[in-house]
Amino acid sequence: MDAAVRAPGLSAPGGASASGALRRTPVVLACLGLLLTLLSFVSAAPPAGAADDDAPPELPPAGSPWFGPGLTWTEDSAADYASRLGRTPSLYTQRVNYPLGDDDRTYLRQFVEQAATQGAVAVVSLEPVMPLVDLTDAHAADLADELVELHDELDTYFLVRFAPEMNGTWYGWGQQPRSYVEAFRTVADAVHDATPHAAMVWSPVYGAGYPYGAAYGDVDPDRLAEVAELDTDGSGRLDEGDDPYGPYWPGPEAVDWVGLTLYHFGPDRGRIDNDLDPTEGGETGDVETSEGFELDRVPAEDAYRDRLEEQFNYVGDGERTPFYERFAEEFELPMLVETGALWIPDDAGDPELDIKQTWWRQVFEAEADYPLVRGYSWLEQRRPEAEADDRTVDWRATRTDELTAALRPDLLDSDTRLGPVTRVLDQEAGNEATAQGRLPDADDIGAEMGWIVFCVAVLAVLFALAGPAGRWLPSWRYPDEDDPRDKRLDLFRGWIILAVVITHIEVASPYSYITLNAIGAITGAEMFVLLSGIVLGMIYLPTVRKLGEWPTAVTMWRRARKQYVVALVVVMLVYLLGLVPFIDATVITTFTDRGTGEDGEVLKGQVYDLYANAPRLFDYPPPWYAVRQFLLLEMGPWVFNIMGLFVVLSLLLPVLMFLVKRGLWWLLLAISWGLYIWNAFDEVHPLPSQFEAVFPLLTWQIAFTHGLVLGVYRRQITRALLTRAGKIGCAVFVFGYAGSLVWLWLAHTYGYSASPFPEGAYGWLYDNAYTRVFLQPGRLLDLALMIIVAYAVLTTMWKPIDKVIGWFWTPLGSSSLYVFIVHVFFVLAVGNIPGLDRGSIWQGTLVHTAVLALIWLMVRKRFLFSVIPR
């Protein structure tokens, strides 16, 4: 493979034939099998789970209810709804079968995952699929355990509506007050005992038309009703004079919220007679009930308010205590209203916009007068309705752009609360969470700085030894200064890629102790980016002389395309592997907060899904937001996220080199520093890609651009540094920098003045100069220090270093892109070792040693080199 088409800073030896790779495949596979077999016998106790001691979210202020839709989740999604509305709602509603079966758990989890991407409350309407009397304590406990697990993973708050509209006749659980109350209390006891993050909602339907009947969709006209409890007025029959709510009330100890279903169907057409004998198990007889509604009509003035006051469509002039006053005010409980306005798409009635907008405006305008209404669930569905003779009715308020354009300003003008209630766990939040290591505890800052000072001091000592070694041991020098293939870079890259592999395989071992503390303190991914720039700078102009400037640019763009395609393949392959039975890909497809991000210990243990919308890619047709997230590398394994940065930098390479080739390297660096400083004060993310959260493009480009200039002018720079003035300048920088940090450390440790530095300078430095993710100025100084020292040491002491570690490090460095790609799957494999104790030193050492040995063997055997870029 020509050097010009290799990955940035990740060159490799010549290719191997496919047949050769296949011949070596059994050897490598056997080694992989041996690793997994040996480690599968390792056992350890599972880690203890963290206690759930976080508080539930506060209720919205009085008169500012939450708002959100009840979607048809097989056809719609939270992301699509928020995109249509232009705002994220504060709740979503889903109907779930109860007791939970395997499919129901899946649907519930998918619903909660979508709600969590917007920090929305999850309103779960439990619909019994068996007789109420057959529901057990075990069913309730199983539900409660599921809610606890979902909250722990996704930080979701639940409103649990058990068997809503239980006073109606259109559900199998309807009009069974004794059985219903008992079943509700059973679920409430289990939920209350399990978690403070789920509230029980008792939610009947508006009582006008009670006890309903055929016009309302009676599913069981011959039911054996619990009539004795239902005949509340003692009239001897069940009719509209009976209480539509009281018999079903589970009691304030079981209920956290009250709810009411208030739909606008239209004016009532009239009444017919149909009664029930007030005897347990009585038969259907003659009682006055509704004949149905006049559909597709604009709501009358105050139609919504009349419902809240129990004044709409009741028979007779008797006084009725409003549901709101009777249950919300009496027991000081928040209230959830499920609502919507009916429209039939047949052009026979009033205009859709007039019907729906009149209704929602009445709902919003009543907020101040009913401050205990703390939530609206708008029915955002198309479905057949019995009240409409089973015609399909469209309840949706965002069905058309016209409706949405009318709803949005009305929502914003009201006091309704939109936006997240709990933590937003969307793709962006997950990506941002992977930016760990930013803010150590105050007690740890001294230790972090101590490692930095120690490493800088060690590098200064090595630099000091390089001079005598070069003068007195000339046989140790690097022999191939004129070789365009610089093995020093390969060895150096091998050291960096080893650190990456060890760090990402998160087990305790001496290797990880060194990489996390010593190497991580002084350098890391930024060196990987810098070296990529150096190598590309070295090969670009020779390629231009060979091919011409435009063909070289096209070649580089093709290389960037190949990197991009590889990135997409890895992202998708990891997701597909996670679907395979017995493979748990969550070790890399989710990210668990270490408590070292921007929010510190507050979010420690929080799990983020880095593939939140990946399942939607397999919908037909797949929604654009999911396709966009895939194509822009917004999703993917966290151990692979820097690949997106390399793809973007590779795309920009011909533009950057256009300036360098014309001697405008100074302009390139000036622009680079301008972008770096701008992003330091006003964090800007040009792309939504996953890497932007951890490796911000406008910040991290500075390492790449400086690498390009160093690579292009390496010979001139080397000659300048080897002059007397250059050597003095390097020595002043290395010893001055190291001496300053050591002086500050001594003053901090032993409590004396660090003059001439200001008091508190040592503690200030970590937050303001050495934070890893932000690539602050101290980290840039470390980059310069590492390059100078590495060049000096590897040039003057090459032969002993190469003899001791070159055999291992150099092959890995020469194929570092290959190593980086395959290490993703080793991280996945280690995450699936049964019983692995990640805190065990000996287990971790065995894992790291085996993985590094296998990767080295794969490189030496050129395993799948014809398939995987190098």
Side-chain angles (χ1 to χ4, degrees):
M1 181 185 296
D2 191 274
V5 296
R6 293 176 185 148
L10 305 170
S11 55
S17 68
S19 59
L22 291 174
R23 285 195 300 271
R24 299 179 188 101
T25 297
V27 177
V28 179
L29 291 179
C31 294
L32 286 169
L34 179 60
L35 167 68
L36 297 178
T37 302
L38 288 173
L39 294 178
S40 66
F41 292 101
V42 180
S43 61
D52 182 25
D53 56 359
D54 53 325
E58 295 182 358
L59 291 177
S64 298
W66 293 325
F67 174 89
L71 302 175
T72 301
W73 292 94
T74 56
E75 302 173 1
D76 206 348
S77 70
D80 285 342
Y81 179 83
S83 177
R84 293 195 302 272
L85 187 63
R87 296 289 189 277
T88 56
S90 43
L91 65 80
Y92 284 97
T93 299
Q94 166 71 310
R95 297 173 181 265
V96 178
N97 289 339
Y98 178 78
L100 299 177
D102 290 341
D103 288 343
D104 305 316
R105 294 177 200 279
T106 300
Y107 300 147
L108 176 60
R109 173 172 288 276
Q110 291 174 347
F111 160 63
V112 176
E113 286 173 347
Q114 291 199 48
T117 63
Q118 297 176 16
V121 173
V123 181
V124 179
S125 292
L126 296 177
E127 300 192 337
V129 292
M130 63 172 58
L132 293 175
V133 295
D134 293 339
L135 298 175
T136 66
D137 292 347
H139 295 145
D142 184 47
L143 168 72
D145 290 344
E146 191 73 19
L147 297 180
V148 169
E149 181 178 341
L150 289 170
H151 168 76
D152 288 347
E153 290 185 22
L154 301 167
D155 195 42
T156 301
Y157 183 71
F158 297 93
L159 296 181
V160 181
R161 299 170 73 220
F162 175 75
E165 303 178 22
M166 80 302 299
N167 55 336
T169 56
W170 42 88
Y171 293 123
W173 58 85
Q175 297 191 355
Q176 303 168 55
R178 185 170 60 250
S179 303
Y180 172 81
V181 167
E182 182 178 348
F184 187 101
R185 290 173 177 171
T186 298
V187 174
D189 288 344
V191 169
H192 290 157
D193 289 345
T195 177
H197 300 284
M200 292 297 299
V201 184
W202 174 67
S203 186
V205 69
Y206 177 62
Y210 184 81
Y212 314 108
Y216 294 88
D218 195 338
V219 296
D220 185 13
D222 299 321
R223 69 168 54 81
L224 297 177
E226 297 171 1
V227 182
E229 288 84 353
L230 298 176
D231 182 25
T232 58
D233 64 358
S235 65
R237 67 180 189 174
L238 176 58
D239 58 20
E240 286 198 357
D242 291 312
D243 183 356
Y245 308 125
Y248 310 95
W249 171 240
E253 69 284 348
V255 177
D256 304 304
W257 284 58
V258 297
L260 196 62
T261 299
L262 291 176
Y263 296 139
H264 169 70
F265 285 95
D268 205 327
R269 288 196 180 114
R271 302 292 187 271
I272 58 173
D273 286 338
N274 184 25
D275 348 273
L276 285 175
D277 190 322
T279 306
E280 187 73 34
E283 298 297 329
T284 307
D286 293 328
V287 70
E288 192 176 33
T289 58
S290 173
E291 194 175 4
F293 298 98
E294 185 179 358
L295 306 174
D296 265 3
R297 292 292 176 259
V298 172
E301 185 177 358
D302 291 331
Y304 172 74
R305 190 180 297 267
D306 286 346
R307 284 167 171 79
L308 288 179
E309 295 295 333
E310 303 290 332
Q311 295 177 2
F312 177 80
N313 266 13
Y314 276 101
V315 174
D317 299 326
E319 289 292 327
R320 290 177 174 82
T321 304
F323 179 92
Y324 177 86
E325 179 182 331
R326 185 177 171 188
F327 296 102
E329 286 187 341
E330 174 68 20
F331 299 103
E332 297 182 348
L333 295 174
M335 182 169 167
L336 175 70
V337 174
E338 181 173 69
T339 192
L342 174 146
W343 176 75
I344 300 175
D346 58 6
D347 297 325
D350 292 335
E352 178 184 19
L353 177 60
D354 293 348
I355 294 172
K356 294 179 178 178
Q357 186 176 48
T358 300
W359 183 253
W360 73 54
R361 283 181 172 176
Q362 289 189 18
V363 171
F364 299 152
E365 289 166 0
E367 290 171 350
D369 295 331
Y370 300 93
L372 290 175
V373 174
R374 300 295 180 88
Y376 299 131
S377 176
W378 186 280
L379 185 60
E380 192 75 9
Q381 298 180 12
R382 295 175 67 253
R383 68 186 190 187
E385 296 288 356
E387 293 85 346
D389 297 326
D390 289 326
R391 285 179 291 174
T392 297
V393 169
D394 203 317
W395 298 93
R396 295 174 294 176
T398 61
R399 187 184 74 85
T400 65
D401 292 342
E402 180 187 28
L403 281 171
T404 306
L407 174 61
R408 187 184 303 113
D410 287 347
L411 264 174
L412 298 178
D413 289 343
S414 73
D415 291 326
T416 302
R417 176 177 172 181
L418 299 173
V421 176
T422 59
R423 283 195 290 273
V424 176
L425 300 182
D426 60 0
Q427 191 74 57
E428 182 180 358
N431 295 342
E432 289 176 354
T434 61
Q436 298 283 295
R438 291 182 171 186
L439 302 172
D441 293 337
D443 295 339
D444 294 336
I445 290 177
E448 289 279 343
M449 278 303 300
W451 275 109
I452 293 171
V453 174
F454 173 77
C455 293
V456 169
V458 169
L459 289 173
V461 171
L462 290 174
F463 182 78
L465 293 175
R471 184 177 302 110
W472 298 328
L473 298 168
S475 62
W476 283 11
R477 291 186 64 86
Y478 181 71
D480 303 315
E481 287 288 355
D482 296 325
D483 188 350
R485 181 54 182 259
D486 197 325
K487 293 181 181 179
R488 291 171 294 187
L489 284 175
D490 287 338
L491 187 144
F492 198 18
R493 288 204 307 269
W495 178 62
I496 295 297
I497 196 64
L498 278 174
V500 170
V501 174
I502 292 167
T503 301
H504 286 171
I505 297 178
E506 296 179 309
V507 293
S509 76
Y511 306 113
S512 59
Y513 183 82
I514 294 171
T515 57
L516 288 172
N517 291 296
I519 298 175
I522 194 70
T523 190
E526 60 266 41
M527 183 60 71
F528 205 52
V529 176
L530 178 71
L531 293 176
S532 299
I534 290 175
V535 173
L536 283 170
M538 291 169 59
I539 66 173
Y540 196 92
L541 292 186
T543 308
V544 169
R545 287 192 289 270
K546 179 180 178 182
L547 302 178
E549 188 168 14
W550 178 250
T552 299
V554 172
T555 299
M556 293 300 172
W557 282 325
R558 287 174 179 167
R559 180 177 137 281
R561 180 185 63 188
K562 183 175 183 180
Q563 289 180 327
Y564 174 62
V565 171
V566 168
L568 293 179
V569 169
V570 171
V571 168
M572 182 55 66
L573 185 56
V574 167
Y575 176 73
L576 294 176
L577 285 173
L579 301 180
V580 176
F582 312 115
I583 295 181
D584 180 8
T586 57
V587 66
I588 53 177
T589 62
T590 65
F591 186 80
T592 302
D593 200 298
R594 278 78 161 140
T596 57
E598 283 187 310
D599 294 302
E601 290 287 327
V602 174
L603 298 183
K604 186 174 183 179
Q606 179 68 62
V607 178
Y608 300 88
D609 185 359
L610 304 181
Y611 281 81
N613 291 312
R616 305 284 73 77
L617 291 170
F618 298 92
D619 294 346
Y620 183 80
W624 170 243
Y625 67 84
V627 175
R628 184 200 67 225
Q629 289 180 351
F630 175 63
L631 294 178
L632 292 180
L633 299 177
E634 293 181 59
M635 59 180 71
W638 63 270
V639 296
F640 193 64
N641 50 19
I642 199 174
M643 189 67 182
L645 176 65
F646 282 130
V647 170
V648 175
L649 293 176
S650 296
L651 285 171
L652 295 175
L653 176 63
V655 177
L656 304 179
M657 290 303 298
F658 179 86
L659 296 176
V660 175
K661 183 177 183 297
R662 286 153 180 80
L664 298 176
W665 57 267
W666 56 270
L667 178 59
L668 173 63
L669 296 187
I671 295 172
S672 177
W673 275 99
L675 293 174
Y676 173 84
I677 294 171
W678 176 34
N679 213 43
F681 290 97
D682 184 17
E683 193 171 348
V684 177
H685 297 291
L687 294 170
S689 307
Q690 190 182 62
F691 76 85
E692 277 278 10
V694 189
F695 309 104
L697 175 62
L698 298 188
T699 296
W700 283 70
Q701 53 76 29
I702 197 167
F704 186 73
T705 55
H706 283 67
L708 287 178
V709 174
L710 287 173
V712 170
Y713 296 102
R714 69 189 186 284
R715 298 194 186 282
Q716 295 94 317
I717 293 172
T718 300
R719 285 196 297 269
L721 294 179
L722 291 178
T723 64
R724 181 178 181 85
K727 292 178 180 178
I728 293 174
C730 287
V732 169
F733 167 70
V734 172
F735 297 124
Y737 179 44
S740 297
L741 288 184
V742 170
W743 174 250
L744 286 168
W745 177 82
L746 290 171
H748 172 80
T749 304
Y750 296 103
Y752 57 77
S753 172
S755 179
F757 299 103
E759 185 177 354
Y762 185 80
W764 179 89
L765 277 175
Y766 185 82
D767 283 340
N768 296 277
Y770 291 98
T771 304
R772 298 181 188 179
V773 173
F774 297 134
L775 201 58
Q776 291 179 326
R779 303 288 290 186
L780 297 181
L781 287 174
D782 288 346
L783 270 181
L785 177 71
M786 281 294 301
I787 286 293
I788 291 172
V789 174
Y791 175 80
V793 170
L794 291 178
T795 299
T796 60
M797 306 180 191
W798 169 257
K799 289 190 176 179
I801 292 174
D802 182 51
K803 185 174 183 180
V804 173
I805 57 175
W807 63 274
F808 191 79
W809 288 11
T810 302
L812 297 179
S814 66
S815 302
S816 51
L817 179 58
Y818 172 91
V819 174
F820 182 68
I821 293 171
V822 300
H823 104 284
V824 174
F825 302 97
F826 275 95
V827 177
L828 177 60
V830 170
N832 282 268
I833 296 175
L836 176 65
D837 181 0
R838 292 181 178 271
S840 168
I841 297 294
W842 74 268
Q843 292 182 37
T845 302
L846 176 60
V847 167
H848 275 147
T849 302
V851 168
L852 296 179
L854 281 170
I855 292 177
W856 179 84
L857 181 62
M858 291 168 66
V859 171
R860 294 295 295 176
K861 296 297 182 180
R862 310 172 70 80
F863 178 67
L864 294 182
F865 266 29
S866 60
V867 177
I868 302 174
R870 302 184 296 281

